[in-house]
mmCIF file of all heavy atoms in Angstrom:
data_model
loop_
_atom_site.group_PDB
_atom_site.id
_atom_site.type_symbol
_atom_site.label_atom_id
_atom_site.label_comp_id
_atom_site.label_asym_id
_atom_site.label_seq_id
_atom_site.Cartn_x
_atom_site.Cartn_y
_atom_site.Cartn_z
ATOM 1 N N GLY A 83 -0.316 -17.390 -0.602
ATOM 2 C CA GLY A 83 -1.512 -17.025 0.130
ATOM 3 C C GLY A 83 -1.201 -16.137 1.314
ATOM 4 O O GLY A 83 -0.039 -15.852 1.623
ATOM 5 N N ALA A 84 -2.259 -15.716 1.976
ATOM 6 C CA ALA A 84 -2.138 -14.841 3.140
ATOM 7 C C ALA A 84 -2.158 -15.667 4.413
ATOM 8 O O ALA A 84 -2.848 -16.688 4.505
ATOM 9 C CB ALA A 84 -3.277 -13.830 3.156
ATOM 10 N N VAL A 85 -1.409 -15.227 5.413
ATOM 11 C CA VAL A 85 -1.391 -15.895 6.710
ATOM 12 C C VAL A 85 -2.744 -15.703 7.388
ATOM 13 O O VAL A 85 -3.217 -14.572 7.538
ATOM 14 C CB VAL A 85 -0.268 -15.333 7.597
ATOM 15 C CG1 VAL A 85 -0.351 -15.927 9.006
ATOM 16 C CG2 VAL A 85 1.094 -15.609 6.977
ATOM 17 N N VAL A 86 -3.372 -16.827 7.784
ATOM 18 C CA VAL A 86 -4.663 -16.731 8.474
ATOM 19 C C VAL A 86 -4.623 -17.368 9.861
ATOM 20 O O VAL A 86 -5.610 -17.317 10.590
ATOM 21 C CB VAL A 86 -5.795 -17.377 7.634
ATOM 22 C CG1 VAL A 86 -6.029 -16.589 6.358
ATOM 23 C CG2 VAL A 86 -5.484 -18.828 7.310
ATOM 24 N N GLY A 87 -3.491 -17.977 10.224
ATOM 25 C CA GLY A 87 -3.401 -18.560 11.553
ATOM 26 C C GLY A 87 -2.339 -19.631 11.638
ATOM 27 O O GLY A 87 -1.511 -19.790 10.732
ATOM 28 N N PHE A 88 -2.370 -20.394 12.761
ATOM 29 C CA PHE A 88 -1.417 -21.476 12.999
ATOM 30 C C PHE A 88 -2.170 -22.686 13.515
ATOM 31 O O PHE A 88 -3.142 -22.556 14.261
ATOM 32 C CB PHE A 88 -0.362 -21.062 14.036
ATOM 33 C CG PHE A 88 0.523 -19.931 13.587
ATOM 34 C CD1 PHE A 88 0.147 -18.618 13.815
ATOM 35 C CD2 PHE A 88 1.702 -20.184 12.928
ATOM 36 C CE1 PHE A 88 0.952 -17.576 13.403
ATOM 37 C CE2 PHE A 88 2.513 -19.152 12.509
ATOM 38 C CZ PHE A 88 2.137 -17.844 12.741
ATOM 39 N N GLU A 89 -1.713 -23.868 13.115
ATOM 40 C CA GLU A 89 -2.280 -25.116 13.615
ATOM 41 C C GLU A 89 -1.165 -26.140 13.746
ATOM 42 O O GLU A 89 -0.403 -26.356 12.802
ATOM 43 C CB GLU A 89 -3.375 -25.655 12.684
ATOM 44 C CG GLU A 89 -4.649 -24.836 12.672
ATOM 45 C CD GLU A 89 -5.754 -25.484 11.851
ATOM 46 O OE1 GLU A 89 -5.639 -26.707 11.572
ATOM 47 O OE2 GLU A 89 -6.707 -24.789 11.476
ATOM 48 N N SER A 90 -1.067 -26.738 14.933
ATOM 49 C CA SER A 90 -0.069 -27.786 15.194
ATOM 50 C C SER A 90 1.343 -27.339 14.817
ATOM 51 O O SER A 90 2.127 -28.107 14.244
ATOM 52 C CB SER A 90 -0.437 -29.072 14.429
ATOM 53 O OG SER A 90 -1.733 -29.522 14.793
ATOM 54 N N GLY A 91 1.655 -26.092 15.101
ATOM 55 C CA GLY A 91 2.982 -25.593 14.829
ATOM 56 C C GLY A 91 3.239 -25.177 13.398
ATOM 57 O O GLY A 91 4.338 -24.747 13.059
ATOM 58 N N ALA A 92 2.250 -25.305 12.540
ATOM 59 C CA ALA A 92 2.402 -24.923 11.131
ATOM 60 C C ALA A 92 1.618 -23.652 10.856
ATOM 61 O O ALA A 92 0.603 -23.366 11.509
ATOM 62 C CB ALA A 92 1.910 -26.036 10.210
ATOM 63 N N VAL A 93 2.086 -22.878 9.875
ATOM 64 C CA VAL A 93 1.370 -21.678 9.483
ATOM 65 C C VAL A 93 0.299 -22.057 8.461
ATOM 66 O O VAL A 93 0.501 -22.951 7.631
ATOM 67 C CB VAL A 93 2.337 -20.625 8.893
ATOM 68 C CG1 VAL A 93 2.980 -21.119 7.603
ATOM 69 C CG2 VAL A 93 1.620 -19.299 8.655
ATOM 70 N N VAL A 94 -0.845 -21.408 8.539
ATOM 71 C CA VAL A 94 -1.945 -21.682 7.615
ATOM 72 C C VAL A 94 -2.030 -20.534 6.623
ATOM 73 O O VAL A 94 -2.168 -19.370 7.016
ATOM 74 C CB VAL A 94 -3.291 -21.826 8.361
ATOM 75 C CG1 VAL A 94 -4.404 -22.172 7.377
ATOM 76 C CG2 VAL A 94 -3.183 -22.876 9.453
ATOM 77 N N LEU A 95 -1.932 -20.857 5.328
ATOM 78 C CA LEU A 95 -2.049 -19.865 4.265
ATOM 79 C C LEU A 95 -3.352 -20.073 3.514
ATOM 80 O O LEU A 95 -3.785 -21.207 3.297
ATOM 81 C CB LEU A 95 -0.879 -19.976 3.282
ATOM 82 C CG LEU A 95 0.540 -19.804 3.835
ATOM 83 C CD1 LEU A 95 1.547 -19.864 2.688
ATOM 84 C CD2 LEU A 95 0.680 -18.523 4.623
ATOM 85 N N GLU A 96 -3.963 -18.954 3.105
ATOM 86 C CA GLU A 96 -5.190 -19.006 2.308
ATOM 87 C C GLU A 96 -4.966 -18.247 1.018
ATOM 88 O O GLU A 96 -4.567 -17.078 1.033
ATOM 89 C CB GLU A 96 -6.354 -18.387 3.073
ATOM 90 C CG GLU A 96 -7.678 -18.409 2.297
ATOM 91 C CD GLU A 96 -8.818 -17.796 3.074
ATOM 92 O OE1 GLU A 96 -9.186 -18.357 4.132
ATOM 93 O OE2 GLU A 96 -9.330 -16.742 2.641
ATOM 94 N N ASP A 97 -5.207 -18.902 -0.132
ATOM 95 C CA ASP A 97 -4.995 -18.225 -1.413
ATOM 96 C C ASP A 97 -6.213 -17.407 -1.798
ATOM 97 O O ASP A 97 -7.209 -17.349 -1.067
ATOM 98 C CB ASP A 97 -4.592 -19.214 -2.509
ATOM 99 C CG ASP A 97 -5.724 -20.149 -2.950
ATOM 100 O OD1 ASP A 97 -6.888 -19.951 -2.506
ATOM 101 O OD2 ASP A 97 -5.462 -21.081 -3.717
ATOM 102 N N ARG A 98 -6.148 -16.746 -2.967
ATOM 103 C CA ARG A 98 -7.222 -15.828 -3.352
ATOM 104 C C ARG A 98 -8.524 -16.532 -3.692
ATOM 105 O O ARG A 98 -9.554 -15.896 -3.866
ATOM 106 C CB ARG A 98 -6.770 -14.967 -4.538
ATOM 107 C CG ARG A 98 -6.431 -15.719 -5.802
ATOM 108 C CD ARG A 98 -5.771 -14.777 -6.808
ATOM 109 N NE ARG A 98 -5.360 -15.436 -8.025
ATOM 110 C CZ ARG A 98 -6.118 -15.560 -9.107
ATOM 111 N NH1 ARG A 98 -7.335 -15.060 -9.099
ATOM 112 N NH2 ARG A 98 -5.673 -16.170 -10.184
ATOM 113 N N PHE A 99 -8.499 -17.865 -3.800
ATOM 114 C CA PHE A 99 -9.715 -18.624 -4.072
ATOM 115 C C PHE A 99 -10.317 -19.201 -2.797
ATOM 116 O O PHE A 99 -11.312 -19.914 -2.848
ATOM 117 C CB PHE A 99 -9.421 -19.758 -5.057
ATOM 118 C CG PHE A 99 -8.872 -19.288 -6.381
ATOM 119 C CD1 PHE A 99 -7.545 -19.498 -6.705
ATOM 120 C CD2 PHE A 99 -9.674 -18.604 -7.282
ATOM 121 C CE1 PHE A 99 -7.029 -19.059 -7.919
ATOM 122 C CE2 PHE A 99 -9.166 -18.164 -8.494
ATOM 123 C CZ PHE A 99 -7.844 -18.389 -8.804
ATOM 124 N N GLY A 100 -9.686 -18.907 -1.646
ATOM 125 C CA GLY A 100 -10.191 -19.411 -0.377
ATOM 126 C C GLY A 100 -9.638 -20.762 0.031
ATOM 127 O O GLY A 100 -10.016 -21.303 1.073
ATOM 128 N N LYS A 101 -8.721 -21.319 -0.764
ATOM 129 C CA LYS A 101 -8.126 -22.616 -0.432
ATOM 130 C C LYS A 101 -7.058 -22.427 0.635
ATOM 131 O O LYS A 101 -6.239 -21.517 0.556
ATOM 132 C CB LYS A 101 -7.499 -23.247 -1.672
ATOM 133 C CG LYS A 101 -6.875 -24.607 -1.422
ATOM 134 C CD LYS A 101 -6.283 -25.181 -2.699
ATOM 135 C CE LYS A 101 -5.647 -26.538 -2.467
ATOM 136 N NZ LYS A 101 -5.045 -27.093 -3.708
ATOM 137 N N ARG A 102 -7.072 -23.323 1.649
ATOM 138 C CA ARG A 102 -6.117 -23.218 2.742
ATOM 139 C C ARG A 102 -5.179 -24.424 2.774
ATOM 140 O O ARG A 102 -5.591 -25.549 2.507
ATOM 141 C CB ARG A 102 -6.835 -23.098 4.087
ATOM 142 C CG ARG A 102 -7.648 -21.821 4.231
ATOM 143 C CD ARG A 102 -8.145 -21.620 5.648
ATOM 144 N NE ARG A 102 -8.834 -20.349 5.795
ATOM 145 C CZ ARG A 102 -9.204 -19.832 6.956
ATOM 146 N NH1 ARG A 102 -8.928 -20.475 8.095
ATOM 147 N NH2 ARG A 102 -9.829 -18.668 7.002
ATOM 148 N N ARG A 103 -3.911 -24.146 3.114
ATOM 149 C CA ARG A 103 -2.918 -25.209 3.265
ATOM 150 C C ARG A 103 -2.016 -24.889 4.455
ATOM 151 O O ARG A 103 -1.833 -23.730 4.816
ATOM 152 C CB ARG A 103 -2.071 -25.371 1.995
ATOM 153 C CG ARG A 103 -2.847 -25.952 0.821
ATOM 154 C CD ARG A 103 -1.941 -26.163 -0.393
ATOM 155 N NE ARG A 103 -0.813 -27.034 -0.103
ATOM 156 C CZ ARG A 103 0.127 -27.360 -0.992
ATOM 157 N NH1 ARG A 103 0.072 -26.875 -2.226
ATOM 158 N NH2 ARG A 103 1.127 -28.161 -0.651
ATOM 159 N N HIS A 104 -1.475 -25.967 5.054
ATOM 160 C CA HIS A 104 -0.596 -25.830 6.205
ATOM 161 C C HIS A 104 0.850 -26.059 5.777
ATOM 162 O O HIS A 104 1.144 -26.959 4.988
ATOM 163 C CB HIS A 104 -0.950 -26.859 7.291
ATOM 164 C CG HIS A 104 -2.335 -26.713 7.833
ATOM 165 N ND1 HIS A 104 -3.465 -26.925 7.065
ATOM 166 C CD2 HIS A 104 -2.775 -26.380 9.076
ATOM 167 C CE1 HIS A 104 -4.548 -26.731 7.813
ATOM 168 N NE2 HIS A 104 -4.145 -26.405 9.034
ATOM 169 N N PHE A 105 1.768 -25.239 6.322
ATOM 170 C CA PHE A 105 3.180 -25.375 5.983
ATOM 171 C C PHE A 105 4.023 -25.243 7.243
ATOM 172 O O PHE A 105 3.770 -24.368 8.082
ATOM 173 C CB PHE A 105 3.602 -24.286 4.989
ATOM 174 C CG PHE A 105 2.887 -24.355 3.664
ATOM 175 C CD1 PHE A 105 1.758 -23.574 3.440
ATOM 176 C CD2 PHE A 105 3.339 -25.200 2.660
ATOM 177 C CE1 PHE A 105 1.089 -23.646 2.228
ATOM 178 C CE2 PHE A 105 2.677 -25.267 1.449
ATOM 179 C CZ PHE A 105 1.554 -24.497 1.232
ATOM 180 N N PRO A 106 5.036 -26.095 7.399
ATOM 181 C CA PRO A 106 5.924 -25.977 8.556
ATOM 182 C C PRO A 106 6.759 -24.709 8.463
ATOM 183 O O PRO A 106 7.045 -24.215 7.363
ATOM 184 C CB PRO A 106 6.807 -27.227 8.459
ATOM 185 C CG PRO A 106 6.804 -27.570 7.005
ATOM 186 C CD PRO A 106 5.424 -27.207 6.506
ATOM 187 N N LEU A 107 7.164 -24.189 9.602
ATOM 188 C CA LEU A 107 7.964 -22.969 9.642
ATOM 189 C C LEU A 107 9.442 -23.328 9.437
ATOM 190 O O LEU A 107 10.283 -23.145 10.321
ATOM 191 C CB LEU A 107 7.754 -22.241 10.968
ATOM 192 C CG LEU A 107 6.320 -21.765 11.233
ATOM 193 C CD1 LEU A 107 6.207 -21.165 12.625
ATOM 194 C CD2 LEU A 107 5.899 -20.746 10.189
ATOM 195 N N ALA A 108 9.734 -23.827 8.256
ATOM 196 C CA ALA A 108 11.086 -24.286 7.948
ATOM 197 C C ALA A 108 11.995 -23.106 7.612
ATOM 198 O O ALA A 108 11.529 -22.096 7.068
ATOM 199 C CB ALA A 108 11.051 -25.252 6.761
ATOM 200 N N PRO A 109 13.272 -23.200 7.912
ATOM 201 C CA PRO A 109 14.211 -22.125 7.549
ATOM 202 C C PRO A 109 14.200 -21.873 6.041
ATOM 203 O O PRO A 109 14.235 -22.812 5.251
ATOM 204 C CB PRO A 109 15.570 -22.659 8.013
ATOM 205 C CG PRO A 109 15.245 -23.651 9.079
ATOM 206 C CD PRO A 109 13.943 -24.274 8.665
ATOM 207 N N ALA A 110 14.109 -20.596 5.667
ATOM 208 C CA ALA A 110 14.079 -20.185 4.255
ATOM 209 C C ALA A 110 12.988 -20.902 3.478
ATOM 210 O O ALA A 110 13.129 -21.171 2.287
ATOM 211 C CB ALA A 110 15.447 -20.421 3.606
#
Side-chain angles (χ1 to χ4, degrees):
V85 174
V86 294
F88 295 88
E89 290 186 17
S90 302
V93 64
V94 183
L95 301 183
E96 180 180 296
D97 70 7
R98 62 190 177 91
F99 301 108
K101 181 179 180 181
R102 295 190 176 190
R103 290 183 58 181
H104 299 65
F105 297 96
L107 298 175

